[in-house]
Amino acid sequence: MTTAFSSFLRCAALASTALALLGGTAVAQEKVLRIGMTAADIPRTHGQPDQGFEGNRFTGIPMYDGLTQWDLSSADKASVVIPALATEWAVDPNDKTKWTFKLRPGVKFHDGSDFTADAVVWNVRKVLDKDAPHFDASQVGVTVSRMPTLRSARAIDPLTVELTTAEPDSFLPINLTNLFMASPAHWNAKLAAVPASVTDPAERAKQAWAAFAADPSGTGPFRGVRLQPRERFEMVANKGYWDAKRTPKIDRVVLLPLSDANARTAALLSNQVDWIEAPAPDAVPRIRSGGFTIYSNPQPHVWPWQLSFVEGSPWLDKRTRQAANLCINREELKTLLGGMMGIPKGSVEPSHPWWGNPGFDIKYDAAAAKKLMTEAGYSAAKPMKVKVLTSASGSGQMQPVTMNEYLQQALKECFFDVTLDVIEWNAVFTNWREGAKDPKARGANAINVTFATMDPFFAMVRFVSSKTVPPTSNNWGYFTAPEFDELIAKARTSFDGAERDKALANLHKRIVEEAPFVWVAHDVGPRAMSPKVKGVVQPKSWFIDIAPMSID
């Protein structure tokens, strides 16, 4: 039995079980939305999801809120950061390491407790303060790597909190979209239920977090009610949500992990699910002819190879990096993917204010690529050996096996000998923070992890700063140079928007010219849905908001 068919049968069985559970007349009228994710497991539900940004999309944003959030209400304009649990914020003009956030009054967690400044302090400490009784090391990696300058929080009054950074950082309000607020009162209740026989504080905290994950409490539009690891997760509407525009119309959301594209497609076509991420490209015509809707939109999201700069890496020679970027016929790859990709010129597009007009043009020019490789000492008889760590599926990975196998063949023309090391997505994502020097990189000199470019830190800073090498953040390949640190410092300390954009344009220009990536594609976020799902807005973002949707 194939993995795809096995996954499909599992999905069918789960859906049948769900239908059986909805036996009564009243319950049968419940509006249920079933989603087939690309993840192989349910993203963690305790407030700081794993599984990359697919976790934020499906167990973060629906159940939790940050102090700030992305505006996901438009399909036509770029998403921007807007107030969420904080209504306003400002940096101290005399000390730009200190920020004051005014909090939204009257917000309650799902357990009924109040959201206050003390709750913000508690949530900062859960990932930054190793001495806090509720510190959870498992939440650190997916959080701190996304906001590396945050150092502490202090309650000024019940609805005002002060956040302190290690250095002036104008990116902080953007980064805080990744810090989701979990309920301190609910966690304390879970801690109190840990048996007294468990005396080690760290073990008690671990068990409390496990209990919290099974019965989570945030402030978001949905509330988690049923968790079966690797099988399903269910959320129900929070009808008392603080934002009337995002109070759910759907009664229940069921998340199903279906990592195989063919299994997801089969589940949709057989009406076992209502929504799938990243449908198999060759199935798109069949999906459309079946009456389903394909949503897509250009996203600030890059599908790359990120390259290693550790001692002995073949990518230390810039000619090889530029050659790899020139050896890919992206139009041909786009055709292979059924048109479901954008063709990149860098991490952001030429129309973007951070573009900067780089001197190196990313395009298909095999002759120029071969010339560069010959100058670097490679040939058909002496190819450059490349090992790429990748996954078979995962958050934003599009169609990783198909795409990597295409690159493997295409780069042969330019004297690259590519080996693909395909492992489980979460292991790849974890090594993205552990780095190319770590044994779990398995000797790879490139890694295939997609990344969002919605904000300066995510788009550029974390990949080229000497302060973001592992394990701090995602400078997996240890690409560092004083020039880049200076460019980053200029951008970070520019609190005027126009000045910051100019500094970021200079940074992006130099990144493209030095080519620490092979830029392969921009994602367009294809997802297929039943025509029963209404009110869908596919924003120009990696995220999407379930809360305003409805289902017939």
Side-chain angles (χ1 to χ4, degrees):
M1 182 181 294
T2 66
T3 301
F5 190 57
S6 175
S7 298
F8 168 62
L9 288 181
R10 182 183 69 174
C11 180
L14 291 172
S16 297
T17 301
L19 291 174
L21 291 172
L22 304 178
T25 302
V27 179
Q29 297 173 354
E30 187 179 44
K31 303 294 186 182
V32 181
L33 174 66
R34 303 159 299 170
I35 302 173
M37 303 179 295
T38 68
D41 197 358
I42 301 297
R44 298 187 73 184
T45 56
H46 51 21
Q48 298 304 143
D50 61 354
Q51 302 291 345
F53 268 175
E54 190 159 28
N56 284 32
R57 185 162 64 232
F58 288 131
T59 66
I61 293 170
M63 291 194 295
Y64 296 92
D65 296 303
L67 296 179
T68 59
Q69 67 185 15
W70 292 102
D71 182 357
L72 304 175
S73 63
S74 173
D76 302 319
K77 58 187 180 182
S79 294
V80 295
V81 169
I82 59 174
L85 293 178
T87 57
E88 58 183 282
W89 51 88
V91 68
D92 186 329
N94 300 313
D95 181 355
K96 289 187 168 59
T97 66
K98 296 188 183 301
W99 292 77
T100 300
F101 286 78
K102 295 290 186 179
L103 306 182
R104 190 174 300 278
V107 175
K108 291 189 178 293
F109 289 102
H110 297 148
D111 58 279
S113 62
D114 293 328
F115 169 74
T116 64
D118 287 336
V120 177
V121 174
W122 187 92
N123 276 278
V124 170
R125 293 185 71 202
K126 76 184 177 185
V127 292
L128 291 183
D129 185 356
K130 293 181 180 179
D131 295 325
H134 60 291
F135 175 76
D136 184 6
S138 73
Q139 299 187 46
V140 171
V142 294
T143 309
V144 176
S145 65
R146 296 170 176 171
M147 46 176 208
T149 65
L150 182 62
R151 289 294 178 267
S152 63
R154 178 175 70 90
I156 295 175
D157 62 44
L159 292 176
T160 310
V161 66
E162 179 186 80
L163 301 184
T164 301
T165 57
E167 60 187 89
D169 186 0
S170 63
F171 307 159
L172 181 69
I174 306 172
N175 298 160
L176 288 172
T177 59
N178 300 288
L179 181 63
F180 294 111
M181 297 292 147
S183 167
H186 195 61
W187 186 88
N188 284 325
K190 299 303 182 186
L191 180 66
V194 175
S197 57
V198 180
T199 57
D200 178 65
E203 180 59 27
R204 290 183 63 82
K206 182 179 179 181
Q207 291 191 24
W209 277 115
F212 187 100
D215 178 27
S217 179
T219 62
F222 290 92
R223 175 173 57 88
V225 293
R226 185 183 179 204
L227 172 64
Q228 291 178 262
R230 304 193 76 85
E231 291 189 4
R232 70 192 289 120
F233 180 63
E234 298 182 20
M235 299 176 285
V236 297
N238 173 17
K239 296 298 186 181
Y241 187 56
W242 57 266
D243 185 352
K245 297 189 300 296
R246 296 185 66 226
T247 299
K249 302 177 181 68
I250 293 169
D251 298 311
R252 184 177 299 264
V253 176
V254 179
L255 302 177
L256 301 169
L258 290 171
S259 60
D260 183 87
N262 292 317
R264 290 194 299 276
T265 300
L268 181 74
L269 292 173
S270 60
N271 293 309
Q272 302 295 333
V273 296
D274 309 297
W275 163 349
I276 63 171
E277 299 286 284
D282 59 358
V284 168
R286 188 156 43 107
I287 290 171
R288 284 189 167 126
S289 67
F292 299 93
T293 304
I294 302 286
Y295 293 90
S296 68
N297 208 348
Q299 294 182 340
H301 200 256
V302 177
W303 195 101
W305 284 357
Q306 186 175 352
L307 308 178
S308 171
F309 291 79
V310 303
E311 185 178 355
S313 171
W315 299 110
L316 292 173
D317 189 328
K318 182 166 71 174
R319 292 172 295 190
T320 66
R321 307 194 299 268
Q322 292 188 342
N325 275 289
L326 293 171
C327 197
I328 303 166
N329 186 336
R330 293 169 180 82
E331 289 286 357
E332 188 174 73
L333 178 60
K334 183 175 181 177
T335 299
L336 179 65
L337 295 178
M340 294 295 179
M341 66 166 267
I343 295 177
K345 288 288 188 178
S347 294
V348 299
E349 292 298 304
S351 60
H352 199 284
W354 305 340
W355 170 244
N357 197 27
F360 173 60
D361 185 16
I362 298 170
K363 60 183 179 180
Y364 178 52
D365 189 339
K370 286 189 277 192
K371 182 175 183 294
L372 286 169
M373 290 297 284
T374 300
E375 292 172 357
Y378 297 101
S379 65
K382 183 191 172 186
M384 177 176 139
K385 293 189 179 298
V386 175
K387 183 176 181 181
V388 184
L389 195 64
T390 185
S391 64
S393 65
S395 172
Q397 292 293 87
M398 299 176 67
Q399 306 295 333
V401 174
T402 299
M403 295 170 75
N404 276 299
E405 287 178 347
Y406 174 84
L407 294 178
Q408 185 180 45
Q409 294 301 312
L411 290 172
K412 277 185 178 180
E413 180 184 4
C414 303
F415 317 142
F416 291 93
D417 180 8
V418 177
T419 299
L420 302 175
D421 190 357
V422 182
I423 64 174
E424 195 271 330
W425 160 239
N426 234 24
V428 178
F429 190 72
T430 299
N431 181 248
W432 200 32
R433 297 188 301 273
E434 295 165 334
K437 295 179 182 179
D438 191 275
K440 289 191 282 298
R442 301 157 68 101
N445 52 47
I447 192 169
N448 170 217
V449 178
T450 60
F451 64 90
T453 61
M454 298 174 291
D455 72 73
F457 179 74
F458 273 60
M460 293 180 276
V461 172
R462 57 181 171 157
F463 303 121
V464 297
S465 170
S466 63
K467 296 179 181 179
T468 58
V469 297
T472 301
S473 193
N474 301 120
N475 191 345
W476 178 86
Y478 295 83
F479 177 88
T480 62
E483 174 195 2
F484 284 85
D485 286 342
E486 291 168 9
L487 290 168
I488 291 165
K490 175 65 175 174
R492 271 199 193 282
T493 56
S494 296
F495 288 82
D496 173 78
E499 287 183 9
R500 186 169 63 234
D501 284 348
K502 182 178 178 181
L504 290 166
N506 289 333
L507 177 61
H508 183 260
K509 174 182 186 295
R510 291 294 297 124
I511 290 173
V512 173
E513 290 169 350
E514 290 300 317
F517 297 100
V518 178
W519 287 272
V520 178
H522 283 311
D523 197 359
V524 297
R527 47 180 55 96
M529 294 193 198
S530 163
K532 296 186 299 181
V533 185
K534 307 295 186 183
V536 179
V537 174
Q538 173 101 354
K540 291 186 175 181
S541 170
W542 171 234
F543 304 121
I544 190 169
D545 193 1
I546 301 172
M549 298 181 192
S550 61
I551 190 164
D552 291 342

